Amino acid sequence: IIAWIFSFFRRLDYLIFAYGYEFEKVKTNPVVSALYRAIYKRAKGIITCGEEVKKRLVRFGVAAERITVVHPAVDLSYYYPCEVPEVYKIQHGLAGRRILLSVGRLVERKGHDLVLKALPAVIRRFPDVLYGIVGAGEFEANLRARVREGGLENHVKFMGRLPDADLRMLYNACEFFMMPSREVHADGHIEGFGIVFLEANACGKPGIGGNSGGVPEALAHGVSGYLVDPSTPEGLQARMLEMLENPEETRRLGKRAQEWVRETFSWERYAARVREIMSSETRSSR
Protein backbone atom coordinates (compact mmCIF):
# COMPACT_ATOMS: atom_id res chain seq x y z
CA ILE A 1 0.00 0.00 0.00
CA ILE A 2 2.85 2.39 0.88
CA ALA A 3 4.62 1.78 -2.44
CA TRP A 4 1.34 2.25 -4.32
CA ILE A 5 0.70 5.62 -2.62
CA PHE A 6 4.24 6.88 -3.22
CA SER A 7 4.03 5.88 -6.88
CA PHE A 8 1.53 8.71 -7.47
CA PHE A 9 4.02 11.35 -6.32
CA ARG A 10 7.28 10.19 -7.86
CA ARG A 11 8.57 7.65 -10.34
CA LEU A 12 8.55 4.43 -8.34
CA ASP A 13 8.49 0.88 -9.65
CA TYR A 14 7.43 -1.89 -7.31
CA LEU A 15 7.19 -5.63 -7.82
CA ILE A 16 4.69 -7.81 -5.96
CA PHE A 17 5.27 -11.39 -4.85
CA ALA A 18 1.98 -13.28 -4.51
CA TYR A 19 1.54 -16.48 -2.48
CA GLY A 20 -2.24 -16.90 -2.44
CA TYR A 21 -3.59 -16.31 1.04
CA GLU A 22 -3.01 -12.54 1.03
CA PHE A 23 -5.59 -11.96 -1.73
CA GLU A 24 -7.78 -15.04 -1.19
CA LYS A 25 -8.65 -13.83 2.32
CA VAL A 26 -10.09 -10.52 1.01
CA LYS A 27 -11.86 -11.71 -2.16
CA THR A 28 -15.30 -11.48 -0.54
CA ASN A 29 -14.68 -7.88 0.63
CA PRO A 30 -15.45 -5.62 -2.37
CA VAL A 31 -13.72 -2.53 -0.97
CA VAL A 32 -10.45 -4.23 -0.03
CA SER A 33 -10.52 -6.34 -3.21
CA ALA A 34 -10.79 -3.17 -5.31
CA LEU A 35 -7.82 -1.65 -3.44
CA TYR A 36 -5.75 -4.80 -4.00
CA ARG A 37 -6.56 -4.83 -7.73
CA ALA A 38 -5.51 -1.18 -8.00
CA ILE A 39 -2.20 -2.01 -6.30
CA TYR A 40 -1.62 -4.99 -8.60
CA LYS A 41 -2.47 -2.92 -11.69
CA ARG A 42 0.08 -0.23 -10.86
CA ALA A 43 2.88 -2.68 -10.06
CA LYS A 44 5.77 -3.20 -12.47
CA GLY A 45 4.92 -6.87 -12.37
CA ILE A 46 3.67 -9.71 -10.20
CA ILE A 47 5.56 -12.89 -9.37
CA THR A 48 3.64 -15.89 -8.09
CA CYS A 49 5.13 -18.95 -6.40
CA GLY A 50 3.25 -21.32 -8.71
CA GLU A 51 0.76 -21.82 -11.53
CA GLU A 52 -2.11 -22.48 -9.12
CA VAL A 53 -1.60 -19.11 -7.44
CA LYS A 54 -1.43 -17.45 -10.86
CA LYS A 55 -4.80 -18.97 -11.86
CA ARG A 56 -6.38 -17.73 -8.66
CA LEU A 57 -4.87 -14.28 -9.08
CA VAL A 58 -6.32 -14.08 -12.61
CA ARG A 59 -9.74 -15.03 -11.22
CA PHE A 60 -9.22 -12.27 -8.64
CA GLY A 61 -8.95 -9.77 -11.48
CA VAL A 62 -5.28 -9.43 -12.44
CA ALA A 63 -4.32 -9.68 -16.12
CA ALA A 64 -2.54 -12.97 -16.84
CA GLU A 65 0.13 -11.33 -18.99
CA ARG A 66 1.28 -9.27 -16.01
CA ILE A 67 2.01 -12.37 -13.91
CA THR A 68 5.21 -14.42 -13.99
CA VAL A 69 5.55 -17.77 -12.22
CA VAL A 70 8.86 -18.33 -10.44
CA HIS A 71 8.92 -21.40 -8.22
CA PRO A 72 10.73 -21.01 -4.89
CA ALA A 73 13.86 -23.01 -4.24
CA VAL A 74 15.85 -24.70 -1.51
CA ASP A 75 19.34 -24.07 -0.13
CA LEU A 76 21.12 -27.13 -1.47
CA SER A 77 24.31 -26.18 0.35
CA TYR A 78 22.50 -26.57 3.68
CA TYR A 79 19.92 -29.29 3.15
CA TYR A 80 21.58 -32.53 2.08
CA PRO A 81 21.79 -36.17 3.26
CA CYS A 82 23.89 -36.71 6.38
CA GLU A 83 24.26 -39.17 9.23
CA VAL A 84 22.30 -38.35 12.37
CA PRO A 85 24.45 -39.00 15.46
CA GLU A 86 22.97 -41.52 17.88
CA VAL A 87 23.49 -39.06 20.72
CA TYR A 88 21.22 -36.59 18.91
CA LYS A 89 18.50 -39.24 18.59
CA ILE A 90 18.77 -40.08 22.27
CA GLN A 91 18.66 -36.42 23.35
CA HIS A 92 15.52 -35.80 21.30
CA GLY A 93 13.70 -39.04 22.14
CA LEU A 94 14.07 -40.47 18.65
CA ALA A 95 16.31 -43.48 19.31
CA GLY A 96 14.84 -46.82 18.30
CA ARG A 97 11.85 -45.22 16.58
CA ARG A 98 10.73 -45.04 12.96
CA ILE A 99 10.32 -41.29 12.49
CA LEU A 100 7.63 -39.66 10.38
CA LEU A 101 7.81 -35.88 10.15
CA SER A 102 5.77 -32.75 9.48
CA VAL A 103 7.21 -29.23 9.45
CA GLY A 104 5.05 -26.13 9.23
CA ARG A 105 2.80 -23.73 11.06
CA LEU A 106 0.13 -25.49 13.09
CA VAL A 107 -2.88 -24.23 11.18
CA GLU A 108 -5.89 -26.15 9.93
CA ARG A 109 -4.92 -26.20 6.25
CA LYS A 110 -1.66 -28.10 6.85
CA GLY A 111 -3.53 -31.35 7.55
CA HIS A 112 -1.84 -32.51 10.76
CA ASP A 113 -5.25 -33.67 11.98
CA LEU A 114 -5.53 -35.95 8.94
CA VAL A 115 -2.25 -37.60 9.92
CA LEU A 116 -3.57 -38.12 13.45
CA LYS A 117 -6.67 -39.83 12.04
CA ALA A 118 -4.52 -42.15 9.93
CA LEU A 119 -2.00 -42.88 12.67
CA PRO A 120 -3.84 -45.51 14.82
CA ALA A 121 -3.97 -48.08 12.01
CA VAL A 122 -0.31 -47.37 11.19
CA ILE A 123 0.71 -47.84 14.83
CA ARG A 124 -1.10 -51.18 15.04
CA ARG A 125 1.09 -52.43 12.20
CA PHE A 126 4.24 -50.53 13.24
CA PRO A 127 4.22 -49.85 17.00
CA ASP A 128 7.66 -48.20 16.92
CA VAL A 129 6.45 -45.28 14.78
CA LEU A 130 6.90 -41.76 16.16
CA TYR A 131 5.27 -38.80 14.43
CA GLY A 132 7.29 -35.60 14.94
CA ILE A 133 5.43 -32.30 14.55
CA VAL A 134 7.68 -29.27 14.11
CA GLY A 135 6.09 -25.82 14.30
CA ALA A 136 3.68 -23.73 16.34
CA GLY A 137 0.35 -22.06 15.70
CA GLU A 138 -3.26 -21.58 16.71
CA PHE A 139 -4.24 -25.17 15.84
CA GLU A 140 -1.85 -26.69 18.38
CA ALA A 141 -4.38 -26.96 21.22
CA ASN A 142 -6.80 -28.76 18.88
CA LEU A 143 -4.08 -31.20 17.79
CA ARG A 144 -2.95 -31.88 21.35
CA ALA A 145 -6.55 -32.64 22.32
CA ARG A 146 -6.84 -35.11 19.44
CA VAL A 147 -3.63 -36.82 20.56
CA ARG A 148 -4.98 -37.22 24.11
CA GLU A 149 -8.38 -38.44 22.92
CA GLY A 150 -6.75 -40.99 20.62
CA GLY A 151 -4.27 -42.22 23.22
CA LEU A 152 -1.40 -41.29 20.91
CA GLU A 153 0.87 -39.61 23.47
CA ASN A 154 3.65 -42.22 23.03
CA HIS A 155 3.58 -41.87 19.25
CA VAL A 156 3.33 -38.10 18.67
CA LYS A 157 5.97 -35.57 19.66
CA PHE A 158 5.28 -31.82 19.48
CA MET A 159 8.68 -30.24 18.90
CA GLY A 160 7.79 -26.56 18.60
CA ARG A 161 9.78 -24.11 16.50
CA LEU A 162 13.31 -25.30 15.79
CA PRO A 163 16.42 -23.75 14.22
CA ASP A 164 17.50 -24.87 10.75
CA ALA A 165 20.28 -27.05 12.18
CA ASP A 166 17.67 -29.19 13.96
CA LEU A 167 15.47 -29.28 10.86
CA ARG A 168 18.31 -30.72 8.82
CA MET A 169 18.87 -33.41 11.46
CA LEU A 170 15.16 -34.27 11.62
CA TYR A 171 14.73 -34.43 7.85
CA ASN A 172 17.62 -36.90 7.79
CA ALA A 173 16.29 -38.86 10.78
CA CYS A 174 12.82 -39.40 9.33
CA GLU A 175 11.78 -42.08 6.87
CA PHE A 176 9.50 -39.73 4.98
CA PHE A 177 7.90 -36.31 5.26
CA MET A 178 4.16 -35.52 5.36
CA MET A 179 2.04 -32.42 4.83
CA PRO A 180 -1.42 -33.37 3.52
CA SER A 181 -2.50 -29.75 3.00
CA ARG A 182 -6.03 -28.87 1.90
CA GLU A 183 -7.90 -25.69 1.11
CA VAL A 184 -9.95 -24.13 3.89
CA HIS A 185 -12.58 -22.32 1.82
CA ALA A 186 -14.11 -20.29 4.63
CA ASP A 187 -10.90 -18.34 5.27
CA GLY A 188 -9.29 -18.49 1.84
CA HIS A 189 -6.41 -20.59 3.16
CA ILE A 190 -4.48 -22.47 0.46
CA GLU A 191 -1.00 -23.95 0.23
CA GLY A 192 0.63 -21.83 -2.45
CA PHE A 193 3.62 -24.14 -2.90
CA GLY A 194 5.46 -26.01 -0.11
CA ILE A 195 9.20 -25.37 0.29
CA VAL A 196 9.33 -27.92 3.12
CA PHE A 197 8.85 -30.69 0.55
CA LEU A 198 11.95 -29.46 -1.25
CA GLU A 199 13.93 -29.34 2.01
CA ALA A 200 12.99 -32.93 2.84
CA ASN A 201 13.71 -34.07 -0.73
CA ALA A 202 17.10 -32.33 -0.68
CA CYS A 203 17.92 -34.48 2.36
CA GLY A 204 17.00 -37.59 0.38
CA LYS A 205 13.56 -38.11 1.92
CA PRO A 206 10.33 -38.48 -0.08
CA GLY A 207 7.14 -36.67 0.84
CA ILE A 208 3.41 -37.26 1.04
CA GLY A 209 1.41 -34.15 0.20
CA GLY A 210 -2.20 -33.15 -0.19
CA ASN A 211 -3.33 -32.86 -3.81
CA SER A 212 -4.44 -29.29 -3.27
CA GLY A 213 -3.36 -25.73 -4.08
CA GLY A 214 0.22 -25.47 -5.30
CA VAL A 215 1.48 -28.66 -3.63
CA PRO A 216 1.53 -30.63 -6.95
CA GLU A 217 4.12 -28.11 -8.18
CA ALA A 218 6.37 -28.79 -5.18
CA LEU A 219 5.92 -32.56 -5.10
CA ALA A 220 6.17 -34.67 -8.25
CA HIS A 221 3.89 -37.69 -7.82
CA GLY A 222 5.89 -40.90 -8.12
CA VAL A 223 9.16 -38.98 -8.46
CA SER A 224 9.67 -37.09 -5.20
CA GLY A 225 6.82 -38.63 -3.23
CA TYR A 226 3.07 -39.09 -3.48
CA LEU A 227 -0.01 -36.90 -3.65
CA VAL A 228 -3.08 -37.99 -1.70
CA ASP A 229 -6.66 -36.81 -1.35
CA PRO A 230 -6.53 -34.46 1.66
CA SER A 231 -10.24 -34.69 2.38
CA THR A 232 -10.06 -38.19 3.87
CA PRO A 233 -7.43 -40.15 5.84
CA GLU A 234 -7.74 -43.39 3.87
CA GLY A 235 -5.39 -42.49 1.00
CA LEU A 236 -2.81 -41.03 3.37
CA GLN A 237 -3.00 -44.08 5.61
CA ALA A 238 -2.48 -46.44 2.66
CA ARG A 239 0.61 -44.53 1.51
CA MET A 240 2.07 -44.41 5.01
CA LEU A 241 1.69 -48.16 5.39
CA GLU A 242 3.07 -48.84 1.92
CA MET A 243 6.17 -46.72 2.55
CA LEU A 244 6.81 -48.23 5.97
CA GLU A 245 6.34 -51.77 4.65
CA ASN A 246 8.82 -51.17 1.81
CA PRO A 247 11.75 -49.23 3.33
CA GLU A 248 14.12 -50.04 0.46
CA GLU A 249 11.72 -48.65 -2.13
CA THR A 250 11.12 -45.62 0.12
CA ARG A 251 14.87 -44.98 0.21
CA ARG A 252 15.07 -45.33 -3.58
CA LEU A 253 12.22 -42.85 -3.92
CA GLY A 254 14.09 -40.49 -1.60
CA LYS A 255 17.16 -40.73 -3.80
CA ARG A 256 15.10 -39.86 -6.88
CA ALA A 257 13.55 -36.97 -4.96
CA GLN A 258 16.99 -35.61 -4.10
CA GLU A 259 18.12 -35.77 -7.73
CA TRP A 260 14.90 -34.10 -8.92
CA VAL A 261 15.26 -31.21 -6.48
CA ARG A 262 18.91 -30.63 -7.31
CA GLU A 263 18.07 -30.53 -11.03
CA THR A 264 14.99 -28.31 -10.69
CA PHE A 265 15.11 -26.03 -7.65
CA SER A 266 18.12 -23.91 -6.76
CA TRP A 267 18.25 -20.37 -5.38
CA GLU A 268 20.81 -19.44 -8.05
CA ARG A 269 18.28 -20.17 -10.78
CA TYR A 270 15.52 -18.41 -8.83
CA ALA A 271 17.65 -15.30 -8.19
CA ALA A 272 18.67 -15.06 -11.84
CA ARG A 273 15.04 -15.17 -12.98
CA VAL A 274 13.88 -12.57 -10.45
CA ARG A 275 16.83 -10.31 -11.30
CA GLU A 276 15.83 -10.53 -14.96
CA ILE A 277 12.26 -9.49 -14.16
CA MET A 278 13.33 -6.65 -11.87
CA SER A 279 15.75 -5.22 -14.42
CA SER A 280 13.35 -5.42 -17.38
CA GLU A 281 11.94 -2.26 -18.94
CA THR A 282 8.35 -3.44 -18.67
CA ARG A 283 6.21 -0.91 -16.84
CA SER A 284 2.68 -1.08 -15.55
CA SER A 285 0.03 1.18 -17.09
CA ARG A 286 -0.24 4.30 -14.99
Side-chain angles (χ1 to χ4, degrees), residues 41-67:
K41 184 177 181 180
R42 204 166 174 82
K44 179 178 180 178
I46 301 101
I47 293 176
T48 64
C49 61
E51 293 289 347
E52 177 64 24
V53 176
K54 178 179 178 177
K55 292 176 186 175
R56 290 169 181 262
L57 195 53
V58 170
R59 289 201 296 267
F60 185 75
V62 178
E65 62 271 16
R66 306 205 61 246
I67 305 170

Side-chain angles (χ1 to χ4, degrees), residues 28-270:
T28 58
N29 185 317
V31 175
V32 180
S33 292
L35 173 62
Y36 273 44
R37 282 191 288 271
I39 294 171
Y40 284 125
K41 184 177 181 180
R42 204 166 174 82
K44 179 178 180 178
I46 301 101
I47 293 176
T48 64
C49 61
E51 293 289 347
E52 177 64 24
V53 176
K54 178 179 178 177
K55 292 176 186 175
R56 290 169 181 262
L57 195 53
V58 170
R59 289 201 296 267
F60 185 75
V62 178
E65 62 271 16
R66 306 205 61 246
I67 305 170
T68 304
V69 174
V70 185
H71 291 126
V74 62
D75 186 349
L76 299 171
S77 69
Y78 194 85
Y79 292 103
Y80 53 83
C82 65
E83 288 295 324
V84 181
E86 191 64 24
V87 65
Y88 183 91
K89 295 179 183 179
I90 294 171
Q91 288 173 347
H92 292 80
L94 310 177
R97 308 297 293 271
R98 300 186 72 176
I99 311 301
L100 313 182
L101 183 68
S102 291
V103 176
R105 288 191 302 121
L106 304 190
V107 293
E108 185 178 359
R109 81 163 188 270
K110 297 290 186 179
H112 299 89
D113 56 321
L114 198 70
V115 178
L116 297 181
K117 290 178 182 178
L119 207 53
V122 174
I123 292 169
R124 285 194 291 272
R125 177 71 178 83
F126 300 98
D128 54 350
V129 156
L130 178 67
Y131 174 40
I133 301 177
V134 176
E138 63 266 25
F139 207 48
E140 182 171 347
N142 181 296
L143 295 173
R144 286 185 178 275
R146 290 172 183 265
V147 169
R148 290 192 299 271
E149 291 164 6
L152 300 172
E153 292 92 340
N154 293 328
H155 299 276
V156 178
K157 187 177 181 65
F158 289 89
M159 309 185 81
R161 291 191 179 93
L162 294 175
D164 288 347
D166 280 303
L167 287 184
R168 182 170 61 189
M169 285 293 102
L170 290 171
Y171 284 134
N172 277 281
C174 78
E175 295 198 25
F176 53 86
F177 178 83
M178 298 181 290
M179 192 171 74
S181 302
R182 71 287 184 104
E183 182 174 357
V184 180
H185 295 277
D187 300 316
H189 284 273
I190 64 165
E191 197 67 50
F193 187 70
I195 292 178
V196 285
F197 290 111
L198 305 186
E199 293 174 348
N201 291 166
C203 293
K205 301 306 168 81
I208 302 178
N211 192 5
S212 173
V215 173
E217 296 176 67
L219 193 158
H221 185 74
V223 176
S224 66
Y226 299 108
L227 295 168
V228 298
D229 178 1
S231 65
T232 172
E234 282 76 18
L236 172 63
Q237 183 183 95
R239 283 298 184 188
M240 291 168 68
L241 288 168
E242 175 188 341
M243 294 172 78
L244 287 165
E245 287 168 352
N246 301 280
E248 285 299 323
E249 177 56 35
T250 298
R251 281 191 283 273
R252 282 193 290 270
L253 183 62
K255 180 62 175 175
R256 290 200 298 271
Q258 182 195 0
E259 293 169 352
W260 177 71
V261 165
R262 295 192 72 86
E263 292 170 0
T264 313
F265 300 96
S266 72
W267 280 119
E268 289 77 14
R269 180 181 296 183
Y270 179 92

